């Protein structure tokens, strides 16, 4: 194993670890490009405490090839916090909770969202645009469930990959009719 300290640093006792006061630390590389660089042939893991934009980054990056690599995290579950509050959790069962810890009952709901008094999901594409006035919205508040098409296009319901119901942009409803009037 090779260990490199880029810049000025000191080792305060090998059995106590490293005390690096400035520069970058590399394991498996003699030219660390990040605050902490761990490298093996074909890839590496890097930690940038401040990437110049007042944000921290974890990178799975192969410096010699100049390419990002797949990164896999292994654990029982993962919680993601912002401002000290958990915002997203992935459980060991593969359930995802946004704004909540997912229920562990056998409901089979893979994605669960709690936005507080109202919860909405907005879906965009490259054609519709990505502003608050674009795309498709699904959600609910205390009194109503919503399906909202914010585009001037029909809302189509399919079963068995066959159109069964169409609500066109003029408000006409077609049952087994793709061109209601």
């Amino acid at each position: 194993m090779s260990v490199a300290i880029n810049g000025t640093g000191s080792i305060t006792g090998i059995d106590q670890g490293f005390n690096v006061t400035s520069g970058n630390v590399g394991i498996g590389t003699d030219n660390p490009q990040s605050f902490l660089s761990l490298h093996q042939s074909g890839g590496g893991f890097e930690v940038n405490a401040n990437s110049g934009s007042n944000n921290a980054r974890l990178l799975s990056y192969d410096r010699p090839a100049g390419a990002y690599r797949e990164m896999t995290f292994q654990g029982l579950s993962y919680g993601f916090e912002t401002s000290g509050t958990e915002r997203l959790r992935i459980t060991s069962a593969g359930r995802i909770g946004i704004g909540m810890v997912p229920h562990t009952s056998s409901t089979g709901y893979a994605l669960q969202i709690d936005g507080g008094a109202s919860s909405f999901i907005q879906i965009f594409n490259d054609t519709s645009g990505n502003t608050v006035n674009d795309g498709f919205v699904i959600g609910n508040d205390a009194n109503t469930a919503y399906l909202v098409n914010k585009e001037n296009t029909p809302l189509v319901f399919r079963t068995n990959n066959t159109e069964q119901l169409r609500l066109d942009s003029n408000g006409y409803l077609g049952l087994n009719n793709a061109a209601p009037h």
Side-chain angles (χ1 to χ4, degrees):
M1 172 177 83
S2 62
V3 177
I5 298 175
N6 183 2
T8 4
S10 62
I11 299 174
T12 60
I14 199 71
D15 60 340
Q16 297 174 5
F18 295 104
N19 178 6
V20 180
T21 56
S22 65
N24 298 330
V25 175
I27 298 174
T29 178
D30 60 2
N31 186 21
Q33 298 296 308
S34 298
F35 180 70
L36 175 62
S37 298
L38 309 169
H39 286 269
Q40 288 181 314
S41 62
F45 180 76
E46 299 182 9
V47 177
N48 287 325
N50 186 348
S51 66
S53 305
N54 290 327
N55 62 7
R57 294 183 183 191
L58 299 176
L59 300 117
S60 177
Y61 194 69
D62 182 353
R63 287 269 170 210
Y68 289 97
R69 300 290 187 216
E70 181 177 322
M71 184 182 297
T72 301
F73 294 94
Q74 294 182 0
L76 182 61
S77 68
Y78 293 98
F80 298 87
E81 296 183 358
T82 60
S83 301
T85 301
E86 185 172 305
R87 309 293 183 181
L88 179 117
R89 175 165 293 275
I90 303 171
T91 70
S92 60
R95 293 194 173 109
I96 299 171
I98 299 174
M100 63 177 292
V101 174
H103 300 293
T104 57
S105 64
S106 60
T107 59
Y109 300 144
L111 176 62
Q112 300 169 37
I113 300 171
D114 184 350
S118 61
S119 295
F120 291 88
I121 300 170
Q122 189 167 14
I123 303 168
F124 306 106
N125 63 47
D126 291 343
T127 305
S128 71
N130 60 5
T131 72
V132 71
N133 296 314
D134 292 318
F136 176 71
V137 176
I138 184 171
N140 72 332
D141 60 24
N143 302 308
T144 308
Y146 297 90
L147 292 173
V148 181
N149 183 357
K150 294 194 169 202
E151 304 301 321
N152 188 19
T153 58
L155 185 59
V156 175
F157 295 85
R158 292 176 174 249
T159 61
N160 197 24
N161 203 29
T162 302
E163 183 175 320
Q164 304 296 333
L165 182 71
R166 175 179 291 248
L167 179 62
D168 75 8
S169 59
N170 293 316
Y172 294 113
L173 185 63
L175 182 61
N176 294 318
N177 181 355
H181 289 50

